[in-house]
Amino acid sequence: MTKEKERKMFVGVVWNCAAELKLLLTAILFLCSLVTILQFMPSRFSFTPSNFSTCLSTPISPSTSFIDSISAINATSIPPPPPLTKNDEILENGVIKRAFNPSGSAAYNFILMSAYRGGLNTFAVMGLASKPLHVYGKPSYQCEWIPNDDKLKSITVNGSKILPDWGYGRVYTVLVINCTFPIPVGTENGGKLVIHAATNGGGDAKFNTVDTFVGLTETEQDFINFTAEFNKPPKYDFFYCGSSLYGNLSPQRVREWLAFHVRLFGEKSHFVIHDAGGIHEGVMAVLKPWMEKGFVTLQDIRDQERFDGYYHNQFLIVNDCLHRYRFQAKWMFFFDVDEFIFVPKKSTIKTVVDSLSDFTQFTIEQMPMSNKLCLEEDRGKSYRKWGFEKLVYKDIKRGIRRDRKYAVQPRNVIATGVHMSQNIVGKTTHKTEGLIKYFHYHGTIAERREPCRQLVNATAITVDRTPYAVDTTMRDIAGIVKRFELKMIGPVLQRTRQ
């Protein structure tokens, strides 16, 4: 066959197959386009750019934030591979050996919230841990300091675990890990604190699972900043660490509480409010003027609701607050926003704490007030009065152990609770009667309505077997507090609603 005939035959074949070639080229183009798209999709898809490298040029690297978002999607959407299923089997002796196949996990080993340096050689790590693991197992923790300088060796110690909410946890219990090294660490070039959390057979006795995570990363400048704060006098005389706030809170009650306590604690005071879902638009309007004045810091902790702990994980929150601000405050107070601290007229909060300076911690006696009884003389005008001004009936039932709240000198506290700390260095006193007390208006903060539901024309009354007597201590100072608020932030909150 001549070359000319061969050429004509080839052209004929190509011409006859034109339709098939078009289809093939279209399929290849579609496939390459699909692979280009898939490189930006989560990795659960089995196709990858490397499978079709002949179709792709080198892609432009996406931004770091885009990579982070894709990694987050992968982390939350890709389930772990299912374990191999074991079947029952008959042994040589005729015994039927039954199989047990676990799926999933009951709870996370550890959920890190924060970690803070407490000194040149000590750290505190705050988080949530599986309560069953701690009740029925013996988990342990190792703390490792890894210097940024490769010439320095890492150092490892056993972590000391503290359970400040013992008995109150639900699926999760609060855990504070104290890491104390025998020598100062991080003094040069910084480093990172790594925690090794071992289950020691808790949950599944066949395995000792160890989860390793970075608790704290510290730069050289971070260490310099810490030592500066550590060595200078505290910025604040009085510091408030609030528990988790949730629900449909009353803006007016929050307004009263803030004005009252800013006046009580004075210019060198600060309040940290933790929003677990309770800071809606009305409450935010109340907080804003005081935030702008530098008295209030608001923290959004709503994400902790994912993890089932006691009372919106309030034990975790107060421990974080303690260690986050411990070197900024002389005294740190722990109480709720329906509770009002009171000191007698002839004293101030400063004279009270000065008289108790030999103690690391003191507790405060409760004065329980009715949340619905008001004076008959306030009929028709109670809506113009503040809550602590019109709720004047005090529960005087005897023989009841009532909750106390407390204050500490935070530098001497290792971990803390809601009603007191059991992990301190130093002494505690409960003998503070006559020095300081707090009035408790239980339930008023969570109700957005007029609290006066029963008007009484008597100095004493018994309601539902509970005896009450008139106590106008707080009513008498309401006018002073109102004038203080007006002086500090003006009339901006005058139209605040319940």
Side-chain angles (χ1 to χ4, degrees):
M1 185 181 292
T2 65
K3 292 183 178 181
E4 180 63 22
K5 289 183 178 181
E6 290 177 353
R7 184 183 66 79
K8 290 182 179 180
M9 181 178 292
F10 175 76
V11 172
V13 170
V14 171
W15 181 258
N16 292 334
C17 297
E20 289 80 356
L21 285 174
K22 288 181 181 179
L23 180 62
L24 178 62
L25 290 174
T26 301
I28 293 174
L29 178 61
F30 172 77
L31 188 59
C32 291
S33 300
L34 179 62
V35 172
T36 302
I37 294 173
L38 286 178
Q39 66 176 314
F40 298 109
M41 298 295 288
S43 59
R44 63 178 179 270
F45 294 97
S46 58
F47 299 111
T48 63
S50 60
N51 298 131
F52 302 94
S53 57
T54 57
C55 298
L56 301 175
S57 59
T58 303
I60 299 174
S61 298
S63 65
T64 302
S65 60
F66 182 80
I67 294 175
D68 290 342
S69 64
I70 294 300
S71 299
I73 293 173
N74 290 340
T76 56
S77 61
I78 303 177
L84 296 176
T85 302
K86 297 180 181 179
N87 298 319
D88 295 348
E89 58 180 307
I90 301 177
L91 304 181
E92 293 181 357
N93 59 2
V95 175
I96 300 176
K97 181 177 175 59
R98 303 300 303 277
F100 295 87
N101 293 283
S103 298
S105 177
Y108 292 108
N109 185 356
F110 190 82
I111 301 164
L112 175 68
M113 180 181 183
S114 55
Y116 304 102
R117 181 182 281 274
L120 297 181
N121 67 327
T122 185
F123 300 83
V125 182
M126 268 65 61
L128 299 170
S130 166
K131 183 177 179 180
L133 179 62
H134 282 267
V135 173
Y136 303 109
K138 295 181 179 179
S140 62
Y141 303 88
Q142 279 196 327
C143 309
E144 181 181 10
W145 179 260
I146 303 177
N148 286 337
D149 189 343
D150 295 335
K151 298 178 181 178
L152 301 176
K153 294 183 178 180
S154 64
I155 181 171
T156 302
V157 296
N158 290 327
S160 175
K161 60 182 181 180
I162 303 170
L163 300 165
D165 72 342
W166 186 255
Y168 285 97
R170 291 167 58 91
V171 174
Y172 292 102
T173 189
V174 174
L175 176 63
V176 177
I177 304 172
N178 179 271
C179 301
T180 300
F181 296 92
I183 59 173
V185 294
T187 57
E188 297 180 2
N189 301 324
K192 57 186 177 182
L193 177 68
V194 175
I195 307 297
H196 306 279
T199 61
N200 292 325
D204 190 338
K206 185 177 179 180
F207 300 102
N208 179 25
T209 304
V210 179
D211 294 296
T212 298
F213 59 90
V214 177
L216 175 71
T217 300
E218 186 178 71
T219 65
E220 183 178 3
Q221 186 60 49
D222 291 334
F223 180 78
I224 293 173
N225 294 341
F226 166 78
T227 53
E229 183 177 77
F230 181 80
N231 292 323
K232 68 181 181 182
K235 179 179 180 180
Y236 303 107
D237 289 337
F238 305 104
F239 202 96
Y240 171 77
C241 282
S243 293
S244 309
L245 292 184
Y246 65 97
N248 191 15
L249 302 183
S250 166
Q252 174 60 28
R253 301 288 90 82
V254 176
R255 171 198 178 188
E256 300 168 9
W257 184 93
L258 261 178
F260 181 93
H261 287 97
V262 173
R263 175 185 174 274
L264 174 71
F265 289 131
E267 293 183 359
K268 295 187 68 176
S269 64
H270 198 76
F271 301 80
V272 175
I273 307 297
H274 295 98
D275 175 19
I279 308 301
H280 53 77
E281 184 178 354
V283 175
M284 188 64 191
V286 170
L287 297 180
K288 197 66 176 176
W290 296 108
M291 293 171 66
E292 293 171 351
K293 285 282 185 178
F295 284 98
V296 172
T297 293
L298 179 61
Q299 295 186 11
D300 183 343
I301 58 161
R302 299 186 185 202
D303 214 29
Q304 54 76 34
E305 295 291 338
R306 295 169 49 200
F307 311 108
D308 184 21
Y310 173 75
Y311 213 75
H312 305 268
N313 291 307
Q314 63 173 336
F315 283 89
L316 173 65
I317 300 310
V318 295
N319 273 281
D320 172 79
C321 189
L322 165 72
H323 289 282
R324 187 180 184 91
Y325 299 104
R326 65 184 304 187
F327 299 111
Q328 296 188 29
K330 289 182 180 179
W331 285 93
M332 193 172 278
F333 283 74
F334 298 86
F335 58 100
D336 295 329
V337 291
D338 59 357
E339 299 167 343
F340 290 68
I341 303 294
F342 179 84
V343 297
K345 291 182 180 179
K346 294 184 179 180
S347 60
T348 65
I349 190 68
K350 185 178 186 307
T351 61
V352 169
V353 298
D354 286 348
S355 69
L356 298 168
S357 61
D358 291 338
F359 299 96
T360 294
Q361 175 177 237
F362 65 84
T363 61
I364 308 170
E365 182 184 15
Q366 180 187 162
M367 301 288 114
M369 304 297 290
S370 169
N371 58 9
K372 62 182 179 181
L373 298 178
C374 297
L375 292 172
E376 176 66 33
E377 65 185 69
D378 289 340
R379 182 180 295 275
K381 54 185 179 182
S382 63
Y383 68 93
R384 294 200 300 265
K385 296 183 181 295
W386 284 13
F388 69 83
E389 182 181 7
K390 55 193 173 187
L391 293 168
V392 297
Y393 283 88
K394 181 173 68 176
D395 180 349
I396 57 174
K397 184 181 291 186
R398 298 182 180 274
I400 296 179
R401 181 186 177 276
R402 303 189 187 278
D403 289 335
R404 299 174 75 95
K405 293 302 167 72
Y406 69 105
V408 295
Q409 298 191 60
R411 290 193 178 216
N412 296 327
V413 182
I414 302 171
T416 198
V418 173
H419 294 288
M420 66 176 294
S421 171
Q422 294 181 322
N423 304 97
I424 65 172
V425 177
K427 301 180 294 181
T428 295
T429 182
H430 304 288
K431 297 179 180 180
T432 57
E433 292 81 358
L435 289 176
I436 187 171
K437 55 188 174 182
Y438 74 95
F439 289 84
H440 186 195
Y441 302 86
H442 179 70
T444 56
I445 187 71
E447 292 186 349
R448 299 193 64 179
R449 64 175 182 176
E450 170 58 48
C452 293
R453 295 191 293 279
Q454 185 174 344
L455 300 175
V456 180
N457 188 19
T459 57
I461 188 175
T462 298
V463 178
D464 298 330
R465 298 183 180 181
T466 299
Y468 293 93
V470 171
D471 185 331
T472 61
T473 301
M474 294 291 286
R475 184 184 182 95
D476 295 341
I477 63 173
I480 299 174
V481 176
K482 292 177 182 180
R483 290 191 293 273
F484 172 79
E485 181 199 65
L486 194 61
K487 175 184 175 182
M488 290 293 292
I489 61 175
V492 64
L493 300 182
Q494 295 300 304
R495 296 183 179 272
T496 301
R497 297 184 177 183
Q498 300 287 356

